[in-house]
Amino acid sequence: MSIKYVPEPFRIKMVETIKMLSRKEREQKIAEAKYNVFNLRGEDVYIDLLTDSGTNAMSQEQWAGIMRGDESYAGAGSYFKLVEAGRDIFDYQYIQPVHQGRAGEKVLFGLLMGEGQYAISNMFFDTTRAHVELAGARAIDCVVPEAGDPNLRVPFKGNMDVEKLEQLILKHGPEKIALVIMTITNNSAGGQPVSIRNMRDTAAVCKKYEIPLNIDAARYAENAYFIKQREEEFKDKYIKEIIREMFSYGDMFTMSAKKDSIVNIGGLIGIKNDGELYQLIKGRTISYEGYVTYGGLAGRDLEAMAVGLYEGLDEDYLKYRIGQMEYLAGRLDEAGITYQAPVGGHGVFLDAKAMFPHIPYYEFPGQALAIELYKEAGIRSCDIGSYMLGNDPDTGEQLHAEFEFTRLAIPRRVYTQAHLDIVADALINIKKRADSVKGYRITWEPPVLRHFQASLEPIE
Ligand code: F0G
C-alpha cells in the first residue's frame, strides 16, 4: 500500500455492534426503501457514510460534560460556558445557541431577505438554499470554475468566484443582494476549502457594496487545517489563530455544530458586533427554538458543544481526520476511480458521472452509485448531484447539477482503516461491472428538499 494511514490519536472505550446483511437481504431492503437511502433503517446498514453530521463519537470529556449539564430553563451555567467558548474561538460578541444549523438559517435569513432579493454563495448546501427560498429570496451559486473539474488538483477548489460575484451584484443591483454566504468548507463542491485570501477578497467586495457577509461555518476547523497546509502565510500559525482570521472577514455566522464541534446535536448563530440584529435574533429564537439561554437544546447538549468546540481544533485530531480522507482517496487513485480531487475535509465525493457515463443527469448517476454501494457491501452514502438539487422553484423543471457526486461522508472518530478498506474494495468491484448499472426515475416527490423523502424505481 503506497499511502500511509495516520493512526488514531485516541483509544476506544465503548463500542457499538454493526453487522452486514446478506446480499439478498440488502437487495430486498433497498427495494423496500423505494431506492431512497434515507428510508433504510440504521440497523440494516453496515458502514454508514450517509453524513458526517451528528454521527460523531464524543470524547470522555464530552460525556462527562453531559452529566454536568445545567438544565435550568433560564441562565444555565452550560449556556455561559458555551458563549464563552464561542467568543474565545471566533471573537464574535454575540453567540446564540440553536438546535442545529438549519435552525440558525431559519432564525437569521427571515430577518435579512425577502421577495425579489437574492443570496449569493460560493455554494449553497441543500438546507441553506431551502431557507433562502423559504424566506422568499433566490439562491445563486458562485464557486470558482476549477471546482467543476474533479481531476484538477488545485489547493482551494471551494473558493468564491470573486469576479463573478461582483458581476452578479452589478447585474441584479446591490440593493437586491440581501446576503453573501461563504460556506467553509464548501460542502457541495466536495468539502473543498476556501483560502484566507479568497475570504479577504470576498469581504472587500461585500464592503464595497454594503452587503453583509455570513459564514456558513459547519466545517470551520477542517477549513483552517487546509489553510495551514496550503496557504504559505499561515503555515506556522495555530489553528485557533487561523480560525479567528477567517471569522474576522464575516459579519455573522450560522453553524451546524454537528460537524466540526463533534457533537450529535447543536448549532450556533454568531454576530460580530451588531447589537440591534442580535436583539431581533433573540426574539425569533424564543419563538422558534426556545428561550435564549438554551436555544432548542438541553443544558447537557450545550455543555458537550462547549467542550467539542475546542476538541475540534486539536491538530493531532485534524491530522488523523484529514489523513482518513487521504488514505481512502489514495486507494481510489490506485484503482483509477475518480473523485473530487484533491480530497476534501469530511468525505470522498465520488465522480459518478465518470463511473457511469451512460447514465444521464436526469436518471441520477450519483443516486445509482449510492444504491450499488449498499447492494455491494451494506455501505450507505448519498447523492450530491441532480437528484439532490431537485427542480427549478419557478419552472418546476429538473435542474442539471454541475456535479454528479456520490458522497462518502466520514463520521468523526467512528470508523477504522479496515472499514475504509471495505469501502475501497466495494468501489473496485462496482467499477468492474459499471456498464451494467442502470439509472433511476422518481415515482413520487415532495415540493422541497425532495431527496430526503422521494420514491424511486430502477429504469429497466
Ligand atoms: N450548512 C452546511 C454547509 C451543511 O453541510 C449543513 C448540513 C447545514 C448547513 C445544515 O446544518 O444539518 O445542522 O441543520 N449538512 C449535513 C450534511 C446535513 O450531511 O452535509 P444542520
Side-chain angles (χ1 to χ4, degrees), residues 10 118 164 172 214 284 326 340 369:
F10 53 81
Y118 298 88
K164 188 174 159 196
H172 295 287
N214 180 51
R284 281 172 70 92
E326 287 170 349
Q340 177 66 300
L369 181 52

Side-chain angles (χ1 to χ4, degrees), residues 51 100-102 105 125 127 183 187 216 219 256 259 407:
T51 179
Q100 62 182 85
R102 70 199 68 181
E105 293 159 9
F125 187 64
T127 63
T183 311
N187 183 3
D216 180 355
R219 300 177 182 88
S256 169
K259 284 83 170 173
R407 185 181 75 168

Side-chain angles (χ1 to χ4, degrees), residues 19-125:
K19 140 174 161 300
M20 201 193 303
L21 302 177
S22 69
R23 176 173 266 275
K24 201 165 155 246
E25 287 169 317
R26 297 194 300 270
E27 284 176 354
Q28 191 186 335
K29 295 287 182 192
I30 193 70
E32 281 168 12
K34 305 237 164 53
Y35 299 98
N36 183 334
V37 292
F38 288 92
N39 290 335
L40 289 169
R41 286 181 179 222
E43 65 184 18
D44 296 333
V45 174
Y46 179 50
I47 298 176
D48 203 344
L49 309 184
L50 180 64
T51 179
D52 62 317
S53 181
T55 52
N56 309 301
M58 291 205 292
S59 68
Q60 60 181 359
E61 302 309 325
Q62 288 176 295
W63 281 108
I66 291 274
M67 299 309 293
R68 278 195 299 264
D70 176 352
E71 304 301 341
S72 302
Y73 189 95
S78 303
Y79 163 78
F80 293 108
K81 190 167 167 185
L82 175 64
V83 169
E84 224 167 90
R87 282 191 182 146
D88 175 40
I89 294 169
F90 307 111
D91 204 16
Y92 277 30
Q93 201 171 344
Y94 305 109
I95 301 289
Q96 175 60 57
V98 286
H99 85 273
Q100 62 182 85
R102 70 199 68 181
E105 293 159 9
K106 179 179 176 186
V107 166
L108 183 67
F109 293 178
L111 289 168
L112 299 177
M113 61 188 77
E115 296 287 335
Q117 288 190 304
Y118 298 88
I120 306 174
S121 177
N122 53 335
M123 254 183 128
F124 285 92
F125 187 64

